[in-house]
Amino acid sequence: MRYAMAIDTKKCVGCGDCVVACQTENNVPHGYCRDWVVENVTGTYPSLDLEFRSERCNHCDNAPCVRCCPTGASHKVEGGVVLVTHNKCIGCGACIESCPYDARYPHPEGYVDKCTFCIHRVEKGQNPSCVGVCPTRCLHFGDLNDPNSDVSLALKDRKWKVLAPEAGTKPQLYFLT
Amino acid sequence: MHTRRNFIRISSLGLGATVLAGSMAKWVVGANSPKNISIGSNSLASLKPVPTYCEVCFWKCAGWAYVDEKGDILKIVGNKNDPHCNGRLCPRGTGGIGMYYDEDRLKTPLIREKKKDGTQYFREASWEEALDKVANKMKEVKEKYGSEAFGLFNHGNPGASLEHLLRSYGSESNAEPAFANCRGPRSAAYFTTFGTDIVSPENTDIRDTECLVLIGSHIGENMHNSQVQEMSEAIDKKAIIITVDPRFSTAAGHSSFWLPIKPSTDIALLMAWIHVLIYDELYNKPFVEKYTFGFDLLKNHVKSMTPEWAYGITDIEPEVIRKTARAMAGAAPAVVIHPGRHTVWYGDDSQRERAMAILTALLGAWGKRGSLYLPEAIKIPEFPQPKYPTPKWNWKDINEGKFPLASMGITTELLKASIPRLNYKHQVKAWLVGGTNLPLSMPDKKLFKEAAESVEFIAVMDTMPMEITGYADVILPEATYLERYDFLRAAPARVPNVAMRMPAAQPKYDTKPGWWIVKQIGERLGLHDYFNYNDYSEVIDWQLKKLGSSLEEMKKIGVKLFPRKDGPLYLADGEDFQFNTSTGKIELYSVDFANAGFDPFPVYTPHPEPPQNFYRLIYGRAPMHTFSRTSNNPNLWDLMKENSVWVNPKVADLWGLKKGQKVWLKNQDGAVTTFPVAVRVTERIRWDSVYMVHGFGHSDKKLTRAFGMGASDEEMITNIAVDPVMGGTGMRGNFITFLKENPASDKKEDKA
């Protein structure tokens, strides 16, 4: 099993619903977030391209945050999901420094926090809250090893890219272009 | 530790990237963390879902508020059976929870008092005292001037509560910004052309369209939920999207064709499209022959309006005009010419909307799959009450014969009627205000201020200390939508439906539901028969039972769908159909317009252009906010705290403006923004225009998060181009320039 997410940049409107749904689902304190939206504009008026990307932890196959964690708080669970055990985390911030996606933040209660792919929902057969709420249905989640999962179907006939492939982290967010 | 902004700058994808929602504050150490709602992420099973429909915007999506054992609302999720949202709320609906938790809410009734030295202040009052005061003033106005002199500015459900009170009392002197400051031109145009208005949510069949045409309509930035969802579906189905906008909007970014039009020239483009459809014989001949009136006259009217003619006006190349016209014709009748919503731009807006309606008719794109469908609503049975009294005069009489095709009250006329100096025949002496923050939603602040200072009394019902409350004599703090029963929602849709709102929590502080507030005032006025219930749930239950449901059933399902009774969603091919117009046909030639003395066909007229060193102010929406009402919502503030002024890089170079630099804006009449606004240097806007998201620049310090964040576009809108057809307030004829220093010396006269 390999959980992954595909984000359709041709449909995302950058509304931020994924951000607020994550905050209310996961009790993320005001002022912090586990996911965010990037707007990328290229070209000059009027020859322009616009891309919105809903970004979060890439749950990398080769996760530098897990490698560098001195306490083992950052760890992988089944399906390749990267999690942080809050009471094992000493808040040293090594993982924050090591992440090329800047996906982690220091929670005011002293530990480092990040996207969990809403594993508590996924275990019950639900989608992550960002996926479930997205009005444009531009987020697709599931098991890459299952050819009929939403994410596999979304990737099937589309071009995609990953962010910072040069970092060698084998990220698991696929941006459909 | 690098910040996300650094990361973006160094990433290979980073050029021009901006983090939108949910970024900047991430690294703020010790960021304020008000009332933390605790979701034990494993305890979701124990949460109780309570049905509601959203009041953060007018789309009113139905959802479930999830409440824990302590009675705290933890999250709101869309109702899967609701056609407004299909189970997916937008960011505002998801963040609606912030309306409930906002610690800046109005907490208790307030009454304006005057100290001996003349300074005024608000003091806390009991409900008894506040309600007595409003009722006594209503009695006094009725005796002195007649009930008609009590006016109302209304919007949404709070406004509807007040409207019921006012009509029971004997006044129909009401107006809502949603008409004359927003969608009124659309109503006038579509009603006169097709005999039926466009409804809300709009009856656009985007999900099955083959060609979606957006003229200044920025779906995705206006987060009209089901429409955004359907646009996404249309993208999946490879529909052609044509977006006409001087700004590279989000929709433009997802379009097959973006026509970067010169602002204020839309009618020329529309007429050229009509010219191509007719003269290249691309229009839907059987449809036009069977259903329309005035084709030959139209053909003659547009004879000279060629793409070449339009090119000189619009900056859109003739070949692009032809190509897009052919794309529409190729997809017809499955074409949506989106009628827009905020349509008050240049004062000839009813005519522009008419051109859009005519284009729609030529394509046969009415009542057909993928065009405009035939909506149907459930009629909510009227709870027993006496007939409303008939006032001696109403909102229409206030206009004294002007704006003959206005179908609702005109806000600016109601303001003018409130100013004795202007000698209106029918004068308004007192106001109720509900659900609308007039100082930030009305253009021409001077007119508003003079009117507000002229009337004898203002009572405002709101949940937040919006700027309008600063003008009130009595402030009535309403419970939020999550804390009250309310009217049943029964908007027209593909499938007739009813949605229910009930309290998910007890009202916080000393706030009360709108229905309760107006009932208390009504009882004091001896109008008990109009408020013949103890709790509004009795009314809902009575109505639902008449419809074959009940309060108990709706508590479990939230939304109920009903079978259509008025026939199918679309017209059959060749079906006979009588349109509700004077000719019984779709009026390409508008008899109503002609009879009222207006051009029966749209005519392009040039509009003023920005003077040297000035730029046209274009304004719009951001998906995470609704007008000015959400700026202080803690969840939505987190997503977007302030607006910016979008400036083309060429213009920024010329002025030496840097990204993020704070500037004050000054308009052609010398008005200056109270607060500075950050410059956003972006290719997404033309060099002759600037763009701002509407609703920021709050000046009430009681809005602790929103105060002073960004600038108010309304402050820059002092020139109103009035639409003679229906009284619309065209607001896109204002031009701004940049002030890099704090213009404190100029500020006195413009300070609200």
Side-chain angles (χ1 to χ4, degrees), chain B residues 313-593:
Chain B
I313 297 167
T314 60
D315 289 359
I316 307 298
E317 289 171 8
E319 201 32 55
V320 174
I321 298 177
R322 289 204 169 83
K323 205 171 169 183
T324 44
R326 283 197 293 270
M328 287 179 225
V335 183
V336 173
I337 307 293
H338 197 288
R341 188 152 182 134
H342 181 78
T343 52
V344 285
W345 302 352
Y346 303 107
D348 53 3
D349 306 302
S350 299
Q351 293 287 7
R352 184 187 65 254
E353 290 286 321
R354 274 268 302 145
M356 290 156 72
I358 292 169
L359 184 63
T360 299
L362 291 179
L363 293 160
W366 193 93
K368 296 287 175 181
R369 179 179 292 276
S371 66
L372 294 170
Y373 62 77
L374 309 177
E376 189 177 319
I378 284 290
K379 197 174 175 334
I380 300 290
E382 202 174 293
F383 190 72
Q385 67 168 54
K387 263 188 73 175
Y388 289 124
T390 307
K392 291 193 197 71
W393 52 271
N394 64 16
W395 61 265
K396 201 163 184 87
D397 300 303
I398 289 174
N399 304 342
E400 294 180 44
K402 292 173 290 183
F403 319 121
L405 297 178
S407 53
M408 291 173 81
I410 297 168
T411 41
T412 37
E413 289 300 305
L414 197 55
L415 291 180
K416 286 177 184 167
S418 305
I419 301 173
R421 178 178 68 79
L422 298 178
N423 275 326
Y424 268 50
K425 185 174 165 204
H426 300 295
Q427 298 199 359
V428 174
K429 298 295 182 185
W431 299 349
L432 293 171
V433 185
T436 176
N437 186 23
L438 296 174
L440 268 75
S441 63
M442 291 284 298
D444 195 349
K445 284 189 84 169
K446 278 183 184 155
L447 173 68
F448 167 74
K449 269 193 78 177
E450 186 178 354
E453 284 160 9
S454 296
V455 289
E456 293 177 11
F457 181 82
I458 301 176
V460 175
M461 184 169 88
D462 211 318
T463 66
M464 292 296 297
M466 291 297 174
E467 283 74 7
I468 182 65
T469 59
Y471 291 90
D473 296 286
V474 178
I475 299 174
L476 304 165
E478 196 187 13
T480 66
Y481 72 101
L482 293 164
E483 303 159 302
R484 66 184 196 232
Y485 279 106
D486 219 321
F487 311 109
L488 293 170
R489 186 205 75 186
R494 292 184 178 98
V495 181
N497 64 83
V498 171
M500 185 177 85
R501 175 187 287 169
M502 66 177 286
Q506 288 307 304
K508 266 188 186 288
Y509 315 114
D510 194 12
T511 63
K512 298 284 185 186
W515 68 262
W516 183 90
I517 295 171
V518 297
K519 175 180 160 66
Q520 303 311 312
I521 298 170
E523 298 284 359
R524 282 165 170 76
L525 295 171
L527 300 170
H528 171 78
D529 289 351
Y530 293 92
F531 301 90
N532 194 8
Y533 38 82
N534 294 311
D535 190 278
Y536 204 73
S537 59
E538 297 163 31
V539 178
I540 296 173
D541 194 36
W542 184 90
Q543 292 171 324
L544 287 169
K545 282 184 174 141
K546 289 263 172 195
L547 293 171
S549 179
S550 66
L551 193 67
E552 282 316 305
E553 185 190 36
M554 289 300 278
K555 280 181 183 177
K556 293 184 200 105
I557 58 176
V559 174
K560 191 173 172 79
L561 306 179
F562 294 82
R564 285 179 69 100
K565 285 184 183 156
D566 297 352
L569 198 53
Y570 309 115
L571 289 178
D573 280 340
E575 181 182 336
D576 288 330
F577 192 85
Q578 179 80 12
F579 289 85
N580 182 28
T581 57
S582 49
T583 56
K585 299 205 171 225
I586 298 171
E587 296 195 350
L588 305 175
Y589 175 98
S590 175
V591 176
D592 289 338
F593 272 53

Side-chain angles (χ1 to χ4, degrees), chain B residues 220-237:
Chain B
E221 285 160 289
N222 74 37
M223 201 66 201
H224 300 164
N225 194 340
S226 44
Q227 250 174 46
V228 177
Q229 296 189 21
E230 290 191 23
M231 184 171 84
S232 200
E233 219 174 318
I235 292 170
D236 271 343
K237 293 179 184 167

Side-chain angles (χ1 to χ4, degrees), chain A residues 50-64:
Chain A
L50 177 61
E51 178 181 276
F52 288 111
R53 296 194 303 267
S54 169
E55 297 185 5
R56 58 190 56 61
C57 171
N58 275 267
H59 298 276
C60 304
D61 264 356
N62 181 19

Side-chain angles (χ1 to χ4, degrees), chain A residues 17 27 33 39 45 102, chain B residues 1 4 22 37 89 680 686:
Chain A
D17 205 1
N27 189 24
C33 57
E39 173 193 319
Y45 194 99
D102 203 10
Chain B
M1 192 185 287
R4 177 161 298 127
I37 45 178
L89 295 178
R680 178 185 178 191
R686 272 174 69 105

